Amino acid sequence: MIDIKQLRNNPDIYKDNARKKGVEVDVDQLLGFDKELQELRSQVDEKRRQINEHADNFKQTQGTTSPENNEKGRALKKEKGDLEHKLKSVQLQFDELIKKVPNLRWQDVPDGTSEADNINSAPVIQPRTFDFEPKNHWQIAQQRMWIDKERAAKVSGSRFAYIKGDLVKLQLAIVQFTMNVLSNEEVLKKIIKDNSLSIDSTPFTPVLPPLMLKEFVYDEMDRLEPRDDRYQVGEEKDHLWLQGSAEHVVGSMHRQEKFNEADLPIRYIAYATSFRREAGTYGKDTEGIFRMHQFDKLEMEVLSVQESGIEEHKFLIAIQEYLMQQLDLPYRVVTKCAADIGKPNARGIDIEAWLPGQDKYRETHTADYMTDYQARRLKTRVRRSTENDSKVELVHTNDATAFALGRTMIAIIENYQTANGGVRIPEVLRPYMGNREVL
RNA sequence: GGAGAGGUGGCCGAGUGGUUGAAGGCGCACGCUUGGAAAGCGUGUAUGCGGAGCAAUCCGUAUCGAGGGUUCAAAUCCCUCUCUCUCCGCCA
């Protein structure tokens, strides 16, 4: 959620921002509700003052009072009740509307009307040339019996799969490799230095989060919508939702908490299964395991003070690139335009891996910088102390993919394939696979 | 699923109707003391909203898990929900 005070002072900036993001929201109506709320609140406060003053009159007499006095107190309370009732109904309308106002985009986010306006970097690692016709991951995996979608369809339906054999070992190797990189402060220091960042090198804490979350928490994260893409569990009884990304359960983990400045940044690397209905993607990416209802992911989440938010964002992108370079996978970096970064985002970057079997770049990573947008409703705050002053402010949140395991394995299979249908193992993963060289 | 105990400030913990935004302690900050430090002593130490002021600050209001109720008055009484813990049962 945005800061209403900021919007009061700069309504045009918010209007322009919403337009650029392609979000429709009536800012003037919101300001109207805001004004009404302020008036009602001061009326309620005044009424409460009168009630308190009236009650204070009995303190001396220790409860000795008269019917007339009781009558007056009751009348005041009735008036307060009426005002509060009005306040509540305006508040509800205000709350609904303010949630629709998108976060301000960062200064350097390019304009654009759709993902077609995103800006692609030149390849950072060049696609390799093959002296044979490269197959796609599905052809290879099927032949090697690594993926079984037919049986998964019998049991669970479309867009589910059994992952088997060496592909499982490969996934676990990537998980271990990544966990080791992100909890190694020396590596992080090097990445910080190489990218001329000036942030602290606190290592990432590995996390296995719960996969279900409460509806109102999901809403506070501003990730519940579109609900069509979410799975609800125990609709009547539990009101729980399956997370669509570890960000949803890790970013919300410190809701209603107040940190000391020295506690930040807090960095997590979560390993979790994500669930998505993939509504509206019928017939898209049906081959293989590119787009599944369920997929495993390594996800980074960072809570920081506001001044280092943007550097944390750049740090996460640098880590993503480092990881891709370690696996030696061809990729490019995509700077997403205003229309494509999403409502809660201030800035968004994707990484796309080259898939020779599809002859295309495809998204494997995303990095989202939310400034204080998520933290405001979550009430995740930090106490900051200076000389003789201490204030509490909202933390800034960042999340970014370390590896989406399914897609990463697709990229490995397709880029590391050999003419005879084999797949070499990226060097850094070999120690985690018994030092084997091929799958 | 059954039975019980709890949720108070950064932390611990007192508090069964008005003098409690909340005792006491710890922690933290500043000052005194010291060659310096520790100990000791003193002072201060929540946040949201609205208002006044250049400002330090002051005024009003709300907040003791959440919501509702009783009362002139609720951290304190009643109801509902929620979370944590203990014991039993079931179970990976």
Side-chain angles (χ1 to χ4, degrees):
Chain A
M1 185 171 78
I2 55 103
D3 181 357
I4 186 64
K5 284 185 190 162
Q6 295 284 327
L7 184 139
R8 263 178 220 152
N9 298 333
N10 313 287
D12 292 335
I13 291 177
Y14 283 86
K15 285 180 193 172
D16 175 62
N17 182 64
R19 208 176 311 119
K20 291 257 165 68
K21 280 191 164 189
V23 175
E24 256 186 69
V25 57
D26 191 338
V27 169
D28 291 319
Q29 190 183 27
L30 182 66
L31 286 167
F33 288 145
D34 179 48
K35 191 144 183 269
E36 218 177 322
L37 273 183
Q38 290 192 56
E39 278 161 18
L40 282 166
R41 272 197 281 255
S42 69
Q43 286 172 29
V44 169
D45 276 0
E46 171 57 19
K47 203 50 79 180
R48 283 173 175 154
R49 193 195 60 76
Q50 289 173 15
I51 289 172
N52 289 340
E53 187 183 59
H54 182 68
D56 278 348
N57 292 336
F58 303 105
K59 280 181 188 168
Q60 281 72 26
T61 59
Q62 286 297 313
T64 318
T65 178
S66 66
E68 294 77 44
N69 278 329
N70 290 349
E71 198 46 55
K72 186 178 172 207
R74 272 196 288 269
L76 284 170
K77 200 167 69 169
K78 167 83 170 52
E79 291 166 30
K80 187 192 77 165
D82 291 346
L83 285 168
E84 279 174 339
H85 185 74
K86 249 191 255 175
L87 177 75
K88 202 169 178 179
S89 89
V90 179
Q91 184 77 55
L92 283 174
Q93 299 177 74
F94 174 85
D95 290 347
E96 270 316 301
L97 194 50
I98 194 170
K99 282 199 275 183
K100 294 185 179 153
V101 181
N103 196 7
L104 293 182
R105 66 204 188 288
W106 202 254
Q107 304 89 293
D108 64 358
V109 172
D111 288 348
T113 53
S114 77
E115 70 174 38
D117 298 317
N118 292 343
I119 297 168
N120 303 320
S121 78
V124 181
I125 294 183
Q126 285 292 340
R128 293 192 261 283
T129 49
F130 290 84
D131 50 14
F132 58 92
E133 183 68 23
K135 297 186 177 115
N136 70 32
H137 80 280
W138 178 230
Q139 293 163 330
I140 298 168
Q142 230 178 352
Q143 186 195 341
R144 305 290 297 270
M145 311 248 274
W146 285 334
I147 301 174
D148 185 342
K149 287 174 72 181
E150 265 179 50
R151 293 195 174 94
K154 280 197 298 196
V155 174
S156 309
S158 69
R159 293 205 193 279
F160 286 98
Y162 289 94
I163 310 287
K164 301 189 303 181
D166 266 352
L167 215 47
V168 175
K169 294 185 181 176
L170 182 64
Q171 167 158 331
L172 296 177
I174 299 170
V175 172
Q176 285 199 62
F177 163 73
T178 308
M179 289 288 182
N180 286 344
V181 167
L182 292 184
S183 48
N184 184 333
E185 198 161 357
E186 292 313 308
V187 174
L188 300 182
K189 273 182 185 156
K190 184 171 186 311
I191 296 173
I192 288 168
K193 185 159 171 272
D194 292 349
N195 289 274
S196 315
L197 298 170
S198 52
I199 46 175
D200 131 346
S201 57
T202 309
F204 289 73
T205 303
V207 180
L208 297 174
L211 304 184
M212 299 179 213
L213 71 162
K214 296 173 186 177
E215 181 164 312
F216 73 89
V217 175
Y218 219 155
D219 191 41
E220 284 177 352
M221 280 296 283
D222 206 49
R223 294 295 195 192
L224 182 56
E225 308 293 343
R227 295 182 190 216
D228 282 354
D229 199 35
R230 304 278 176 244
Y231 286 101
Q232 192 168 18
V233 179
E235 220 161 312
E236 289 304 312
K237 211 176 162 194
D238 302 311
H239 304 288
L240 288 172
W241 293 74
L242 286 171
Q243 53 100 335
S245 164
E247 175 217 350
H248 308 162
V249 277
V250 177
S252 52
M253 140 184 202
H254 294 287
R255 66 180 293 275
Q256 303 274 1
E257 289 184 31
K258 217 182 285 174
F259 292 107
N260 291 317
E261 187 167 351
D263 299 334
L264 300 181
I266 289 184
R267 299 191 175 126
Y268 291 118
I269 171 69
Y271 178 39
T273 305
S274 296
F275 302 89
R276 298 184 184 177
R277 282 192 192 278
E278 294 295 347
T281 62
Y282 305 110
K284 219 165 136 187
D285 302 316
T286 50
E287 215 174 26
I289 56 164
F290 190 84
R291 192 177 295 280
M292 298 273 98
H293 285 313
Q294 176 191 319
F295 62 98
D296 296 332
K297 193 154 65 96
L298 288 158
E299 177 88 357
M300 301 178 278
E301 176 80 28
V302 174
L303 308 180
S304 71
V305 294
Q306 47 106 7
E307 317 86 89
S308 52
I310 187 67
E311 291 233 324
E312 292 287 348
H313 178 61
K314 289 177 179 168
F315 180 42
L316 293 180
I317 297 162
I319 291 172
Q320 292 176 324
E321 294 204 50
Y322 175 86
L323 290 170
M324 287 299 268
Q325 288 161 20
Q326 290 293 300
L327 292 194
D328 197 19
L329 290 169
Y331 73 92
R332 67 181 182 189
V333 179
V334 179
T335 303
K336 292 199 277 187
C337 73
D340 201 35
I341 55 177
K343 180 160 77 85
N345 283 57
R347 198 169 187 271
I349 299 291
D350 281 351
I351 283 180
E352 294 182 343
W354 172 253
L355 301 184
Q358 287 196 21
D359 202 28
K360 276 183 209 158
Y361 282 98
R362 298 302 305 266
E363 176 186 334
T364 53
H365 297 66
T366 189
D368 299 315
Y369 177 32
M370 250 63 74
T371 59
D372 60 6
Y373 193 86
Q374 287 179 320
R376 182 161 291 106
R377 286 184 68 203
L378 290 167
K379 292 200 172 69
T380 307
R381 291 160 300 176
V382 53
R383 178 188 309 281
R384 311 198 63 179
S385 305
T386 50
E387 272 303 303
N388 37 22
D389 193 29
S390 129
K391 58 181 177 170
V392 174
E393 58 185 42
L394 295 166
V395 303
H396 276 213
T397 58
N398 264 289
D399 68 85
T401 321
F403 278 122
L405 291 152
R407 291 189 181 183
T408 302
M409 293 197 289
I410 289 173
I412 291 173
I413 292 170
E414 296 198 7
N415 284 287
Y416 279 85
Q417 61 181 299
T418 55
N420 59 9
V423 175
R424 290 183 304 116
I425 300 172
E427 231 163 281
V428 293
L429 298 180
R430 290 179 190 172
Y432 301 97
M433 298 194 70
N435 292 314
R436 291 155 60 200
E437 292 182 9
V438 290
L439 293 181

